[in-house]
Amino acid sequence: MYGLPEIYRAEIKKASLVASPGCYPTSILLPVLPLLRAGLIKPTGIIADSLSGVSGAGRKAELDYLFVECNESARPYGVPKHRHLSEIEQELALAAGEPVTIQFTPHLIR
C-alpha cells in the first residue's frame, strides 16, 4: 500500500505493508491529485520544479553535497530521472485515469 495518509487513509488502516512516500512525492501529490481528480487541470504539461536543502538529497558523502560546495547556490540534480519520478507518475496516473508524464526537476538549494 502506498502510504500517503491524506489520500489512502482507509486503505492504510487495513494494510499489512505500507510504503512511505518521500518528501518530493508528498509535496507534488498533495496539491496535484485533487486537481486531476476534479478535472481542473490536464494530465499533460505538468511541471514540478522542486527545491530542497542538502538534507533532502540524502546522506551521501560526496563532494557535490558538502556544505562548502552548495552554500548560497541552487543546482538541479537527479535529472532526467530522479528516483522518486516513477512513484509520482504512478499516483498521478491513477488520479487521472490515464498515463501521466511530468517534468520533474529537483534542485539542491542553500
Side-chain angles (χ1 to χ4, degrees), residues 58-96:
R59 294 181 48 129
K60 298 176 185 171
E62 295 178 11
L63 183 63
D64 288 345
Y65 302 104
L66 296 177
F67 178 81
V68 295
E69 294 296 324
C70 58
N71 186 37
E72 298 182 8
S73 67
R75 69 173 178 84
Y77 72 99
V79 177
K81 185 153 173 62
H82 188 272
R83 68 179 177 259
H84 289 300
L85 180 60
S86 298
E87 71 184 272
I88 295 167
E89 290 181 339
Q90 166 192 292
E91 294 301 308
L92 294 177
L94 289 171

